[in-house]
Amino acid sequence: MDLARFPRIRLGHLPTPLEPLDNLTRLLGGPRLWIKRDDCTGLSTGGNKTRKLEYLMAEAQAQQADVVITQGATQSNHARQTAAAAAKLGMHCHILLEDRTGYTEPEYTDNGNVLLDRLHGATVERRAGGSNMQAEMEAVAAKLSREGRRPYVIPGGGSNPVGALGYVNAALELLNQSVEMGLRIDVLVHGTGSAGTQAGLVAGLQAMNSAIRLLGIGVRAPRDKQEGMVYDLACRTWALLGLRGELPRAAVEANCDYVGSGYGLPTPGMTEAVALLARTEGILLDPVYSGKAMAGLIDLVRKGQLTPDQNIVFLHTGGSAALFGYPGALGLQTP
Ligand SMILES: *Cc1c(COP(=O)(O)O)cnc(C)c1O
């Protein structure tokens, strides 16, 4: 596999640390827990989209784009990191935010990630929940083209084969760290949404013949749909990399039992996980992704499905800026 032939702009502080979670390990009394700190990628409070943007923004620059267009939910971490990357590279960023929750509190609609989008100089437009966001972006791109601009459209979550290369790279980085530290990793757990993170990891781990079990914890779709999305994108990423043979379908595993009533809607498990990590490890999770992913990990440890002889790595995909968009979801309101 020859990842170096794909254009890349360095945006992240890489490699991110791989650290033990000693307090949480002791508290849960199960497997040895570790955390891969992709919340520390450095770009505007960090997160997993930074790695994807290293490849996406390189493609945008290669096409001489002067404006990037992207979309996400109101409290999108992807939109915020795209706005920051565009600012750093001297490009304009236009964001379409979809109302996927119906929340109207000003913290949700204008604080957290939305505040940072604007602080980075992005222009923001809203769309109703259920809009065809890809079509909406293409309409904006066509309009900007007519005005003489050069738009580059980044799909939601940065999840296409080019963006997924960022997580192919992350898989190689993690395998190198495991060698350096002499750490046998049994399971890698992370939140999976628009699928690019898991697709890139699947492709990277399979390309390296790794025996690590990769477990995505879904935050949006039911299992069949989520696994189908990940597998489809992983296969397209595999093809982009020019790898031979077929990616085994069994390499894609998503557990979607922790979504609750829907994307971006709080669950008791999420609230517990966010507070637990904040109070035992001093680590900030988020209400939409890493909080639900950690809720899944904690529950699987408690059920004995992840066992004491295992080393489990939780990939922290970031998102703490969204905490400020969900003040009511954290169980901290004064009466
Ligand atoms: C986008 C995001 C994810 C999910 O990654 P996908 O590549 O969209 O599956 C997980 N955690 C956080 C904090 C995110 O912002």
Side-chain angles (χ1 to χ4, degrees), residues 3-331:
L3 196 54
R5 69 195 165 82
F6 295 93
R8 172 184 176 197
I9 296 172
R10 305 285 170 137
L11 296 169
H13 298 171
L14 306 180
T16 57
L18 175 58
E19 300 169 335
L21 287 173
D22 287 335
N23 298 334
L24 189 65
T25 298
R26 214 173 303 120
L27 193 88
L28 295 178
R32 186 85 209 264
L33 302 176
W34 301 77
I35 190 164
K36 172 71 171 155
R37 300 293 303 268
D38 276 14
D39 58 320
C40 299
T41 54
L43 189 68
S44 182
T45 77
N48 62 338
K49 304 314 179 305
T50 303
R51 291 187 188 267
K52 301 179 185 183
L53 288 163
E54 291 197 323
Y55 291 93
L56 291 163
M57 295 304 268
E59 188 176 75
Q61 288 219 321
Q63 295 178 10
Q64 270 112 47
D66 59 5
V67 48
V68 293
I69 301 167
T70 199
Q71 61 98 357
T74 304
Q75 283 293 332
S76 169
N77 302 300
H78 163 69
R80 179 246 312 155
Q81 287 163 85
T82 304
K88 181 175 165 70
L89 299 173
M91 301 160 89
H92 185 66
C93 179
H94 188 76
I95 295 169
L96 300 183
L97 294 180
E98 180 189 359
D99 175 18
R100 287 196 214 150
T101 62
Y103 290 165
T104 55
E105 294 82 358
E107 289 84 359
Y108 183 77
T109 58
D110 291 281
N111 202 341
N113 282 301
V114 186
L115 179 132
L116 297 181
D117 295 342
R118 294 195 172 117
L119 185 59
H120 288 302
T123 43
V124 174
E125 278 186 83
R126 315 275 177 162
R127 293 291 184 271
S131 301
N132 182 339
M133 296 300 283
Q134 186 63 31
E136 295 289 330
M137 287 198 294
E138 277 155 21
V140 171
K143 177 171 165 283
L144 289 173
S145 294
R146 285 194 299 274
E147 291 167 5
R149 306 293 298 272
R150 297 184 62 91
Y152 177 83
V153 175
I154 299 179
S159 286
N160 61 17
V162 171
L165 293 176
Y167 272 87
V168 174
N169 192 32
L172 303 185
E173 184 181 301
L174 182 66
L175 291 173
N176 275 328
Q177 285 174 315
S178 79
V179 172
E180 276 163 25
M181 294 164 66
L183 173 67
R184 184 202 74 235
I185 300 172
D186 297 298
V187 189
L188 175 60
V189 179
H190 69 95
T192 180
S194 68
T197 300
Q198 190 168 4
L201 289 172
V202 169
L205 293 174
Q206 286 293 316
M208 299 305 287
N209 248 319
S210 167
I212 296 175
R213 173 184 168 204
L214 179 65
L215 176 60
I217 306 285
V219 299
R220 186 172 183 183
R223 177 176 188 146
D224 283 357
K225 184 174 177 200
Q226 188 66 30
E227 289 187 346
M229 276 169 54
V230 172
Y231 184 62
D232 175 66
L233 182 52
C235 290
R236 290 190 289 136
T237 307
W238 189 259
L240 177 66
L241 285 162
L243 293 166
R244 275 187 290 259
E246 226 169 78
L247 212 50
R249 173 64 181 76
V252 174
E253 187 187 355
N255 180 329
C256 298
D257 295 345
Y258 303 94
V259 178
S261 41
Y263 173 87
L265 304 178
T267 63
M270 176 283 288
T271 304
E272 184 205 5
V274 169
L276 200 57
L277 268 284
R279 290 168 191 187
T280 60
E281 296 285 355
I283 287 176
L284 299 176
L285 298 177
D286 81 277
V288 181
Y289 295 96
S290 56
K292 285 184 179 175
M294 181 57 83
L297 190 160
I298 290 169
D299 188 57
L300 294 172
V301 170
R302 285 177 177 156
K303 286 178 171 158
Q305 293 182 23
L306 300 171
T307 52
D309 56 313
Q310 292 181 312
N311 285 304
I312 313 288
V313 174
F314 179 75
L315 172 65
H316 189 340
T317 44
S320 61
L323 288 169
F324 305 99
Y326 282 85
L330 307 172

